[in-house]
Amino acid sequence: MISSDSEDELYTERTALMSANASTAPSYQDRDGAPSPTNVQANRRRSAARRPANPVEGRVGAEGGPASRDGGGEGEEEEEEELILKYGAKHVIMLFVPVTLCMAVVVVTIKSVSFYTEKDGQLIYTPFTEDTDSVGRRLLNSILNTLIMISVIVVMTIILVLLYKYRCYKFIHGWLILSSLLLLFLFTYIYLGEVFKTYNVAMDYPTLILIIWNFGAVGMVCIHWKGPLQLQQAYLIMISALMALVFIKYLPEWSAWVILGAISVYDLIAVLCPKGPLRMLVETAQERNEPIFPALIYSSTMVWLVSMAKRDVDTEEHLSKTCNADNYPEVEVEANNHAVQGLADVSDMPQTQIQGVHHSAAGGEELEEEKGVKLGLGDFIFYSVLVGKAAAGASGDWNTTLACFIAILIGLCLTLLLLAVFKKALPALPISITFGLVFYFSTDNLVRPFMDTLASHQFYI
Amino acid sequence: MKVLSAAVLKPAFFWLLSLLLSSLVWFIAVKASNEKDAELQKSLIIFGVMFSVLLQEVFRFAYYKLLRKANEGLAALSEDGKSPLSVQQMAYVAGLGFGIMSGAFSVVNILAGSVGPGTVGIFRDSQYYFLTSAFMTMAIILLHTFWSVLFFDGFENKRWVAVVAVIATHLLVSGLTFLNPVYEGSLIPAFVIMVLMAAWAYFTAGGSLQNLQHFFMCKENK
């Protein structure tokens, strides 16, 4: 299935960045039946398609929209710049909504369901306890926890890269399916159970089984196969939120903060260094002209080229509604740490990848461009972990949560700006997490007493 | 429209930065002083408030400069030499961002507390705490919007009266809140000032009495 996929995909690429993964997935709306995308694509692609953008974890790829304009002979610098800025703004919004939704779900759950703030033990990945007598010991333990966690992640990433390199796609696919099964069924079951307990809702097992079965089955289909774009996006947001909640529950306080910091550094290294695993993954995928793993990447638009020959279809609509691809056989392994020990452990990958997807749709003589961005689910998870920890933190202050939320979004904005400027895959974690951490600690320690004093006297600034 | 809605985040961030810096200054002052002395603490918080107001205005100016630069860049890139956003639109969005962030920070904890069990004013504080907080927050949010419009316009057209008025009224409104819980002294003037600023901003943004009339009479603007 890989080979067919690779033929199916045409990628538009403007610069040496990854992104634009235009896959002519035979969308379920495809009236043709079996598309022979290759030929169609060949006609379609105007720009020098080169590589598939692969949303490798930890990368932010910018798609050069103007690339398609080159064919049209309009590839002027300024126009491209303007397009970049314009689409940059659009990309920003396209990512703000899902990130905000994910964070909102996590914060609301943390504030209402007390299960996720209770301390019920720790994961095996963070074996050192934080219930120690001295501050120094606690710090040491959290650093050791971080080291273990990060090494697990690094090892998993390397394993993934090796598997990918040696084309063990079935293994990767199986691994991914297992992890999404776990998330969609087990974690949802636990989550629902806790929510029902909090609101004292009476529920019987048959109904519960029905709900969870439907939820999980539709989720599996949507994420790994075909489904409406928005449903897929919703499912990805939900599983990110569930994963983030698990992290928030099982990571001890100080370890969580140190881990967040360390993961951003790792992300930076893995994506930007020439020998970084994520970068190698991306490059390998590019060499093979293969698409990005869809199951672990959030994509704002899955736009597939529609065969030009079919004029009866409104290409615009097609572009926005096509489903996610079926021909993404290899899905990125989003290793999630499982709370349940003994399960096949999957490491957590900071998949920060934002890629611009560029597609050209043909409509008559002109080609229109549709751009989208892709962001790795690991990014969603870690952003939500940061905000969730801020909400769950000792003071439970809403100002701190708000400040972290704004900081993360601004970091995302800046990253997208850099993406538009550099046009290559960039790590989306470092800037946002740095801002988030800075704002968390400063708001919690400096702003909170100030605002509390103001509020108690009812002074306004 | 979409660009504008996402652009509300940046001024919010700037406001947050100004708050951070001013709380840092206040925090250092408090830690360096005698914490038991209530009078001293009261004067320190007053100083903190004033400093914060001034810092907010500084950051408003900084945001204005940033926007000017970005706008010029966009204008240079665009086809007809004009930027997609006018200064007034930018001013409005900036004001909205500042206001929303300021309002959110003032009120969200109070809102969270209002859900929980409790009695308002049980320790001989005012019973109208929540109500007045809500109204004051609303006034502040709207005021920030109008202030930004006036402020930006003042800098654009070199009308320093507007700029000075913005800073002065901000200090005044904040200062009046020191009179709380005598709400007549703080809320009513705040609302009066808000109406004044609204009118001024409206005329600055190009509105006129005629437009108003047309609006209310649902007449078309020919």
Side-chain angles (χ1 to χ4, degrees), chain A residues 93 96 397-398 447 455 458 460, chain B residues 2 109 129 133 174 180 183:
Chain A
I93 296 162
F96 272 4
D397 196 32
W398 280 94
V447 176
Q458 250 190 331
Y460 279 82
Chain B
K2 275 187 172 179
N109 274 330
Y129 184 82
S133 295
S174 269
N180 281 335
Y183 295 121

Side-chain angles (χ1 to χ4, degrees), chain B residues 7-54:
Chain B
V8 168
L9 268 183
K10 297 200 195 95
F13 182 68
F14 270 71
W15 187 89
L16 201 55
L17 278 178
S18 84
L19 179 66
L20 208 68
L21 284 176
S22 45
S23 10
L24 176 67
V25 168
W26 174 81
F27 191 76
I28 294 176
V30 163
K31 286 298 175 196
S33 70
N34 180 10
E35 295 202 15
K36 301 283 194 300
D37 188 353
E39 275 299 320
L40 181 62
Q41 294 302 316
K42 188 104 196 270
S43 43
L44 272 183
I45 191 84
I46 292 181
F47 159 72
V49 169
M50 294 288 128
F51 182 72
S52 176
V53 167
L54 289 173

Side-chain angles (χ1 to χ4, degrees), chain A residues 5 56 76 99 143 169 209 260 293 350 355 369 378 413:
Chain A
D5 286 331
V56 181
E76 290 167 8
V99 172
I143 292 180
Y169 295 119
I209 288 176
L260 278 172
F293 307 118
Q355 293 204 341
E369 289 170 21
C413 210

Side-chain angles (χ1 to χ4, degrees), chain A residues 198-451:
Chain A
T198 307
Y199 291 108
N200 210 13
V201 174
M203 175 63 68
D204 55 307
Y205 271 114
T207 312
L208 189 67
I209 288 176
L210 193 69
I211 293 175
I212 292 195
W213 170 251
N214 278 310
F215 179 80
V218 175
M220 289 302 287
V221 167
C222 256
I223 295 174
H224 292 278
W225 196 48
K226 299 188 222 213
L229 178 67
Q230 292 191 319
L231 197 58
Q232 191 210 19
Q233 291 174 335
Y235 268 105
L236 289 175
I237 293 176
M238 281 191 266
I239 63 176
S240 310
L242 282 174
M243 201 60 225
L245 284 170
V246 166
F247 273 139
I248 293 172
K249 181 171 171 64
Y250 288 109
L251 284 181
E253 281 284 336
W254 289 21
S255 305
W257 297 114
V258 184
I259 285 177
L260 278 172
I263 271 249
S264 337
V265 173
Y266 165 69
D267 199 26
L268 199 61
I269 297 175
V271 174
L272 293 180
C273 284
K275 280 296 169 192
L278 296 180
R279 187 166 173 153
M280 278 175 33
L281 187 63
V282 172
E283 281 166 6
T284 318
Q286 284 178 350
E287 279 163 32
R288 299 181 193 167
N289 265 359
E290 277 161 1
I292 312 168
F293 307 118
L296 296 177
I297 302 286
Y298 176 92
S299 186
S300 59
T301 51
M302 286 301 215
V303 180
W304 309 125
L305 288 185
V306 183
S307 73
M308 285 247 204
K310 299 185 201 68
R311 298 290 173 94
D312 51 324
V313 175
D314 186 290
T315 47
E316 280 273 70
E317 282 170 65
H318 239 257
L319 290 176
S320 51
K321 283 193 243 161
T322 26
C323 56
N324 194 351
D326 50 346
N327 45 348
Y328 280 148
E330 58 238 273
V331 284
E332 232 169 9
V333 180
E334 184 190 43
N336 304 311
N337 277 318
H338 299 309
V340 180
Q341 304 177 5
L343 270 172
D345 47 353
V346 249
S347 59
D348 202 298
M349 304 241 198
Q351 294 137 359
T352 357
Q353 220 174 34
I354 299 181
Q355 293 204 341
V357 179
H358 178 198
H359 298 281
S360 304
E365 307 291 299
E366 288 181 5
L367 286 188
E368 292 173 41
E369 289 170 21
E370 270 291 334
K371 281 175 170 228
V373 266
K374 297 185 184 216
L375 181 63
L377 285 194
D379 295 330
F380 279 87
I381 293 179
F382 283 111
Y383 292 162
S384 309
V385 166
L386 197 149
V387 176
K389 274 288 184 196
S395 50
D397 196 32
W398 280 94
N399 284 344
T400 318
T401 314
L402 253 184
C404 287
F405 170 73
I406 299 276
I408 288 181
L409 287 181
I410 291 284
L412 192 59
C413 210
L414 274 176
T415 313
L416 284 170
L417 192 68
L418 282 179
L419 184 65
V421 168
F422 286 111
K423 300 200 193 64
K424 62 187 235 184
L426 290 178
L429 275 184
I431 302 182
S432 287
I433 299 279
T434 314
F435 275 14
L437 287 175
V438 165
F439 271 81
Y440 172 74
F441 287 111
S442 46
T443 311
D444 205 34
N445 297 316
L446 299 174
V447 176
R448 191 170 47 96
F450 186 53
M451 291 308 283

